[in-house]
Amino acid sequence: MPQSLPRVDRAPILVLGGGIGGMSFAILARRAGWPVHVVEADPNWRVYGAGITVTGPTYRAFRTLGILEDLKAQGFHVTKGGRLCAPNGMAVTDLQDRPIQPDLPVSGGIMRPDLHALLSRLTREAGVRISLGLTATEWTDTGDGVDVRFSDGGAGTYDFVVAADGAFSKARSFLFPDAPKPTYTGQYCWRVVAKRPPEIDRSHFFVGAPVTCGLVPVSQDLMYLWLLENVPEMRRVDEATAYQRLAQLLAPFGGPVGILRENLNADSWVNVRPLEAVLLPPHQWFKGRSILIGDAAHATTPHLASGAGIAVEDALVLVEELARHDDLAAAFQAFTDRRFERCRLVVESSVAIGKAQQDHVSPEIMGAMMAKAQMALLADI
């Protein structure tokens, strides 16, 4: 018997995880008239991290989501390509990027907490029911619904479950105990927010040193620095002295990076994390009336700056396929068919670029790898 899609007079959709993918799906599903319940483990619904880079395909996804103007008002957005620089800060060449669509920025950035605040506000305004400090501990697929038990002892019945609970998804482990887990890719990413000097009016990439770093404007006043460090095995980083280690890594750089380095101190908020990635095989993207989206299905490294974008794309495509099909299994399969190759491109290309950096291949080869992947991402979703 076909599995029917949700109606307003039926049980709500349960969304596990209040991150970018989960909120984007919840907003779109409510706009389509479906009741939605978002469950988020963090009782304060916080988000950590510095800034994020926004690429052309991500702008396209945000516009379809309906938040482009809000995004423009809060971030920093440019209509020209990035700038390639030597370690001393001297410009080498300007990258001749073009917008994916004539009225969209070429690239830009926004503080991750600002993006989270924007999406969480829109989620509430859409009428989504939100429960914080709560997780789903188990659920039973009854064929025409899902019975869920929660960490506070409560329970509920839902039409289906959308698991958007991140790279270390508990839902993934519950649904597919043998699913692959995120794997360390050999690099750590360092980030720190700083005041933006006027000359940093676009993304700047600094190449030719033992490590690669960049500066990305995220507002009229702020920018963030990212740096990729090759580290053979995962290790603990002492948060109290992280700024000192970052200063050591930045020693080869002059110009604006050198100025930022000289101003690092114990009050600098330095974010550092190991880069891990996972790509589930397509047969593990959904099971019965439960489906995985975003990092739960395809966590990537930041080399193509596309993790947030493909999570929003997941939400867009899933709502489209739910509206297009009368059968839930058919909608889930159509979603997977549309998304797998694109997400595989992002994950595998990002990991490959990171491996090339670790192997110290030439900037020309890495540039060609990035250009090939970025060109493919211009295709419609």
Short mmCIF file of all heavy atoms in Angstrom, two decimals, residues 75-119:
data_model
loop_
_atom_site.label_atom_id
_atom_site.label_comp_id
_atom_site.label_asym_id
_atom_site.label_seq_id
_atom_site.Cartn_x
_atom_site.Cartn_y
_atom_site.Cartn_z
N GLY A 75 25.45 39.98 6.28
CA GLY A 75 26.79 39.52 5.96
C GLY A 75 27.57 40.52 5.12
O GLY A 75 27.30 41.72 5.13
N PHE A 76 28.54 40.00 4.39
CA PHE A 76 29.36 40.81 3.48
C PHE A 76 29.36 40.08 2.14
O PHE A 76 29.69 38.89 2.07
CB PHE A 76 30.79 40.95 4.01
CG PHE A 76 31.61 41.97 3.26
CD1 PHE A 76 31.76 43.26 3.75
CD2 PHE A 76 32.24 41.64 2.06
CE1 PHE A 76 32.51 44.21 3.06
CE2 PHE A 76 32.98 42.58 1.36
CZ PHE A 76 33.12 43.87 1.87
N HIS A 77 29.02 40.78 1.08
CA HIS A 77 28.79 40.11 -0.19
C HIS A 77 29.43 40.91 -1.32
O HIS A 77 29.35 42.14 -1.35
CB HIS A 77 27.28 39.94 -0.42
CG HIS A 77 26.59 39.43 0.80
ND1 HIS A 77 26.64 38.12 1.19
CD2 HIS A 77 25.89 40.08 1.76
CE1 HIS A 77 25.99 37.97 2.33
NE2 HIS A 77 25.51 39.14 2.69
N VAL A 78 30.08 40.20 -2.23
CA VAL A 78 30.84 40.87 -3.29
C VAL A 78 30.42 40.33 -4.65
O VAL A 78 29.94 39.21 -4.78
CB VAL A 78 32.36 40.69 -3.10
CG1 VAL A 78 32.82 41.33 -1.81
CG2 VAL A 78 32.75 39.21 -3.12
N THR A 79 30.63 41.17 -5.67
CA THR A 79 30.29 40.80 -7.04
C THR A 79 31.54 40.59 -7.88
O THR A 79 31.49 40.66 -9.10
CB THR A 79 29.41 41.90 -7.67
OG1 THR A 79 30.10 43.15 -7.59
CG2 THR A 79 28.07 42.00 -6.95
N LYS A 80 32.66 40.34 -7.21
CA LYS A 80 33.91 40.08 -7.91
C LYS A 80 34.59 38.87 -7.29
O LYS A 80 34.25 38.45 -6.18
CB LYS A 80 34.84 41.30 -7.81
CG LYS A 80 35.02 41.83 -6.39
CD LYS A 80 35.61 43.22 -6.38
CE LYS A 80 35.57 43.82 -4.98
NZ LYS A 80 35.99 45.23 -4.97
N GLY A 81 35.55 38.31 -8.02
CA GLY A 81 36.22 37.12 -7.54
C GLY A 81 37.20 37.42 -6.41
O GLY A 81 37.44 38.57 -6.05
N GLY A 82 37.76 36.35 -5.86
CA GLY A 82 38.72 36.49 -4.78
C GLY A 82 40.08 36.96 -5.29
O GLY A 82 40.29 37.19 -6.48
N ARG A 83 41.00 37.12 -4.35
CA ARG A 83 42.35 37.59 -4.68
C ARG A 83 43.37 36.57 -4.16
O ARG A 83 43.32 36.16 -3.00
CB ARG A 83 42.60 38.96 -4.07
CG ARG A 83 44.01 39.51 -4.26
CD ARG A 83 44.03 41.01 -3.97
NE ARG A 83 43.30 41.75 -5.00
CZ ARG A 83 42.90 43.02 -4.88
NH1 ARG A 83 43.14 43.67 -3.74
NH2 ARG A 83 42.27 43.62 -5.86
N LEU A 84 44.29 36.17 -5.03
CA LEU A 84 45.36 35.25 -4.67
C LEU A 84 46.59 36.07 -4.30
O LEU A 84 47.00 36.97 -5.04
CB LEU A 84 45.68 34.34 -5.86
CG LEU A 84 46.44 33.05 -5.58
CD1 LEU A 84 45.59 32.11 -4.73
CD2 LEU A 84 46.81 32.38 -6.90
N CYS A 85 47.19 35.75 -3.14
CA CYS A 85 48.30 36.55 -2.62
C CYS A 85 49.49 35.66 -2.25
O CYS A 85 49.33 34.47 -1.92
CB CYS A 85 47.88 37.32 -1.38
SG CYS A 85 46.51 38.46 -1.64
N ALA A 86 50.67 36.25 -2.29
CA ALA A 86 51.87 35.59 -1.79
C ALA A 86 51.86 35.65 -0.26
O ALA A 86 51.11 36.42 0.34
CB ALA A 86 53.11 36.28 -2.33
N PRO A 87 52.70 34.84 0.42
CA PRO A 87 52.72 34.85 1.88
C PRO A 87 52.98 36.23 2.48
O PRO A 87 52.49 36.54 3.58
CB PRO A 87 53.83 33.87 2.23
CG PRO A 87 53.87 32.92 1.08
CD PRO A 87 53.56 33.76 -0.11
N ASN A 88 53.74 37.09 1.78
CA ASN A 88 54.03 38.41 2.33
C ASN A 88 52.87 39.39 2.19
O ASN A 88 52.96 40.54 2.61
CB ASN A 88 55.28 38.99 1.68
CG ASN A 88 55.11 39.26 0.18
OD1 ASN A 88 54.03 39.09 -0.37
ND2 ASN A 88 56.20 39.65 -0.47
N GLY A 89 51.78 38.94 1.58
CA GLY A 89 50.60 39.78 1.45
C GLY A 89 50.45 40.46 0.11
O GLY A 89 49.40 41.04 -0.17
N MET A 90 51.47 40.38 -0.74
CA MET A 90 51.39 41.00 -2.05
C MET A 90 50.42 40.25 -2.95
O MET A 90 50.44 39.02 -3.01
CB MET A 90 52.77 41.05 -2.69
CG MET A 90 53.77 41.93 -1.95
SD MET A 90 53.30 43.68 -1.97
CE MET A 90 53.47 44.04 -3.72
N ALA A 91 49.58 41.00 -3.67
CA ALA A 91 48.63 40.37 -4.58
C ALA A 91 49.35 39.73 -5.75
O ALA A 91 50.28 40.31 -6.33
CB ALA A 91 47.62 41.40 -5.09
N VAL A 92 48.93 38.52 -6.10
CA VAL A 92 49.49 37.79 -7.25
C VAL A 92 48.55 37.91 -8.44
O VAL A 92 48.96 38.26 -9.55
CB VAL A 92 49.74 36.32 -6.89
CG1 VAL A 92 50.18 35.53 -8.12
CG2 VAL A 92 50.77 36.21 -5.77
N THR A 93 47.27 37.64 -8.20
CA THR A 93 46.29 37.75 -9.29
C THR A 93 44.89 37.82 -8.69
O THR A 93 44.66 37.36 -7.57
CB THR A 93 46.38 36.54 -10.24
OG1 THR A 93 45.50 36.75 -11.36
CG2 THR A 93 45.98 35.25 -9.55
N ASP A 94 43.98 38.42 -9.43
CA ASP A 94 42.57 38.42 -9.05
C ASP A 94 41.86 37.30 -9.79
O ASP A 94 42.06 37.11 -11.00
CB ASP A 94 41.91 39.76 -9.39
CG ASP A 94 42.37 40.87 -8.46
OD1 ASP A 94 42.93 40.55 -7.39
OD2 ASP A 94 42.17 42.05 -8.80
N LEU A 95 41.06 36.56 -9.08
CA LEU A 95 40.33 35.44 -9.67
C LEU A 95 39.09 35.98 -10.37
O LEU A 95 38.31 36.74 -9.79
CB LEU A 95 39.94 34.44 -8.58
CG LEU A 95 41.12 33.92 -7.74
CD1 LEU A 95 40.61 33.01 -6.62
CD2 LEU A 95 42.11 33.17 -8.62
N GLN A 96 38.92 35.58 -11.61
CA GLN A 96 37.83 36.12 -12.43
C GLN A 96 36.58 35.27 -12.32
O GLN A 96 36.15 34.61 -13.27
CB GLN A 96 38.30 36.23 -13.89
CG GLN A 96 39.52 37.09 -14.09
CD GLN A 96 39.32 38.51 -13.57
OE1 GLN A 96 38.30 39.13 -13.84
NE2 GLN A 96 40.30 39.02 -12.83
N ASP A 97 36.00 35.25 -11.14
CA ASP A 97 34.76 34.50 -10.93
C ASP A 97 33.57 35.30 -11.44
O ASP A 97 33.57 36.54 -11.39
CB ASP A 97 34.58 34.19 -9.45
CG ASP A 97 35.64 33.24 -8.92
OD1 ASP A 97 36.26 32.54 -9.75
OD2 ASP A 97 35.85 33.20 -7.70
N ARG A 98 32.55 34.57 -11.88
CA ARG A 98 31.32 35.21 -12.33
C ARG A 98 30.16 34.72 -11.46
O ARG A 98 30.20 33.60 -10.95
CB ARG A 98 31.03 34.86 -13.79
CG ARG A 98 32.03 35.46 -14.77
CD ARG A 98 31.69 35.06 -16.18
NE ARG A 98 31.78 33.61 -16.37
CZ ARG A 98 31.44 32.98 -17.48
NH1 ARG A 98 30.98 33.67 -18.51
NH2 ARG A 98 31.56 31.68 -17.57
N PRO A 99 29.12 35.53 -11.28
CA PRO A 99 27.98 35.09 -10.47
C PRO A 99 27.26 33.92 -11.14
O PRO A 99 27.22 33.82 -12.37
CB PRO A 99 27.09 36.33 -10.39
CG PRO A 99 27.47 37.15 -11.59
CD PRO A 99 28.93 36.90 -11.81
N ILE A 100 26.72 33.03 -10.34
CA ILE A 100 26.00 31.88 -10.87
C ILE A 100 24.74 32.33 -11.60
O ILE A 100 24.30 31.71 -12.55
CB ILE A 100 25.68 30.88 -9.74
CG1 ILE A 100 25.11 29.58 -10.31
CG2 ILE A 100 24.74 31.49 -8.72
CD1 ILE A 100 24.97 28.49 -9.27
N GLN A 101 24.16 33.44 -11.14
CA GLN A 101 23.04 34.09 -11.80
C GLN A 101 23.30 35.60 -11.75
O GLN A 101 23.90 36.08 -10.78
CB GLN A 101 21.71 33.73 -11.12
CG GLN A 101 21.37 32.25 -11.28
CD GLN A 101 20.16 31.82 -10.46
OE1 GLN A 101 19.65 32.57 -9.63
NE2 GLN A 101 19.71 30.60 -10.69
N PRO A 102 22.87 36.36 -12.77
CA PRO A 102 23.28 37.77 -12.89
C PRO A 102 23.00 38.63 -11.67
O PRO A 102 23.75 39.56 -11.38
CB PRO A 102 22.46 38.25 -14.09
CG PRO A 102 22.19 37.02 -14.89
CD PRO A 102 22.03 35.91 -13.89
N ASP A 103 21.94 38.34 -10.92
CA ASP A 103 21.58 39.20 -9.79
C ASP A 103 22.03 38.66 -8.45
O ASP A 103 21.58 39.14 -7.40
CB ASP A 103 20.06 39.42 -9.78
CG ASP A 103 19.30 38.11 -9.72
OD1 ASP A 103 19.89 37.05 -10.03
OD2 ASP A 103 18.10 38.14 -9.38
N LEU A 104 22.94 37.68 -8.45
CA LEU A 104 23.45 37.12 -7.20
C LEU A 104 24.90 37.56 -6.98
O LEU A 104 25.64 37.76 -7.94
CB LEU A 104 23.38 35.60 -7.22
CG LEU A 104 22.00 34.95 -7.11
CD1 LEU A 104 22.11 33.43 -7.18
CD2 LEU A 104 21.30 35.36 -5.82
N PRO A 105 25.32 37.68 -5.73
CA PRO A 105 26.74 37.94 -5.47
C PRO A 105 27.60 36.77 -5.97
O PRO A 105 27.13 35.64 -6.10
CB PRO A 105 26.82 38.05 -3.94
CG PRO A 105 25.41 38.34 -3.51
CD PRO A 105 24.54 37.64 -4.48
N VAL A 106 28.86 37.06 -6.22
CA VAL A 106 29.80 36.00 -6.59
C VAL A 106 30.14 35.16 -5.36
O VAL A 106 30.17 33.93 -5.40
CB VAL A 106 31.08 36.61 -7.19
CG1 VAL A 106 32.19 35.55 -7.30
CG2 VAL A 106 30.78 37.19 -8.56
N SER A 107 30.41 35.85 -4.26
CA SER A 107 30.76 35.16 -3.02
C SER A 107 30.54 36.11 -1.86
O SER A 107 30.19 37.28 -2.04
CB SER A 107 32.22 34.69 -3.05
OG SER A 107 33.10 35.80 -3.10
N GLY A 108 30.77 35.62 -0.66
CA GLY A 108 30.61 36.45 0.51
C GLY A 108 30.81 35.64 1.76
O GLY A 108 31.35 34.53 1.74
N GLY A 109 30.38 36.21 2.86
CA GLY A 109 30.53 35.53 4.14
C GLY A 109 29.56 36.08 5.16
O GLY A 109 29.01 37.18 4.99
N ILE A 110 29.34 35.32 6.20
CA ILE A 110 28.47 35.74 7.29
C ILE A 110 28.93 35.02 8.55
O ILE A 110 29.46 33.91 8.49
CB ILE A 110 26.98 35.42 6.99
CG1 ILE A 110 26.07 36.04 8.06
CG2 ILE A 110 26.74 33.92 6.85
CD1 ILE A 110 24.58 35.96 7.71
N MET A 111 28.76 35.66 9.69
CA MET A 111 29.07 35.00 10.94
C MET A 111 28.10 33.85 11.14
O MET A 111 26.88 34.01 10.94
CB MET A 111 28.98 35.98 12.11
CG MET A 111 30.08 37.02 12.13
SD MET A 111 31.71 36.28 12.43
CE MET A 111 31.52 35.67 14.10
N ARG A 112 28.62 32.69 11.51
CA ARG A 112 27.75 31.52 11.69
C ARG A 112 26.65 31.78 12.73
O ARG A 112 25.49 31.40 12.50
CB ARG A 112 28.58 30.31 12.07
CG ARG A 112 27.80 29.01 12.14
CD ARG A 112 28.69 27.82 12.40
NE ARG A 112 29.52 27.51 11.25
CZ ARG A 112 29.15 26.72 10.24
NH1 ARG A 112 27.94 26.19 10.23
NH2 ARG A 112 29.98 26.46 9.26
N PRO A 113 26.95 32.43 13.87
CA PRO A 113 25.86 32.73 14.81
C PRO A 113 24.79 33.64 14.22
O PRO A 113 23.61 33.51 14.56
CB PRO A 113 26.59 33.40 15.99
CG PRO A 113 27.98 32.85 15.93
CD PRO A 113 28.27 32.74 14.46
N ASP A 114 25.18 34.55 13.32
CA ASP A 114 24.19 35.43 12.70
C ASP A 114 23.26 34.64 11.78
O ASP A 114 22.05 34.89 11.74
CB ASP A 114 24.88 36.55 11.91
CG ASP A 114 25.56 37.57 12.81
OD1 ASP A 114 25.25 37.59 14.02
OD2 ASP A 114 26.41 38.33 12.31
N LEU A 115 23.84 33.71 11.02
CA LEU A 115 23.01 32.87 10.15
C LEU A 115 22.07 32.01 10.99
O LEU A 115 20.89 31.86 10.66
CB LEU A 115 23.90 31.99 9.27
CG LEU A 115 23.18 30.99 8.37
CD1 LEU A 115 22.22 31.69 7.41
CD2 LEU A 115 24.18 30.14 7.59
N HIS A 116 22.59 31.46 12.08
CA HIS A 116 21.76 30.65 12.96
C HIS A 116 20.61 31.48 13.54
O HIS A 116 19.46 31.02 13.59
CB HIS A 116 22.61 30.08 14.10
CG HIS A 116 21.82 29.30 15.11
ND1 HIS A 116 21.47 27.99 14.93
CD2 HIS A 116 21.30 29.68 16.31
CE1 HIS A 116 20.78 27.58 15.98
NE2 HIS A 116 20.66 28.58 16.83
N ALA A 117 20.91 32.70 13.98
CA ALA A 117 19.87 33.56 14.55
C ALA A 117 18.79 33.87 13.51
O ALA A 117 17.59 33.88 13.82
CB ALA A 117 20.49 34.85 15.08
N LEU A 118 19.20 34.12 12.27
CA LEU A 118 18.24 34.40 11.20
C LEU A 118 17.33 33.21 10.96
O LEU A 118 16.10 33.34 10.92
CB LEU A 118 19.00 34.76 9.93
CG LEU A 118 18.19 34.84 8.63
CD1 LEU A 118 17.10 35.89 8.75
CD2 LEU A 118 19.10 35.12 7.45
N LEU A 119 17.92 32.02 10.82
CA LEU A 119 17.11 30.83 10.53
C LEU A 119 16.23 30.45 11.71
O LEU A 119 15.08 30.03 11.53
CB LEU A 119 18.03 29.67 10.15
CG LEU A 119 18.70 29.76 8.79
CD1 LEU A 119 19.71 28.63 8.60
CD2 LEU A 119 17.67 29.73 7.66
#
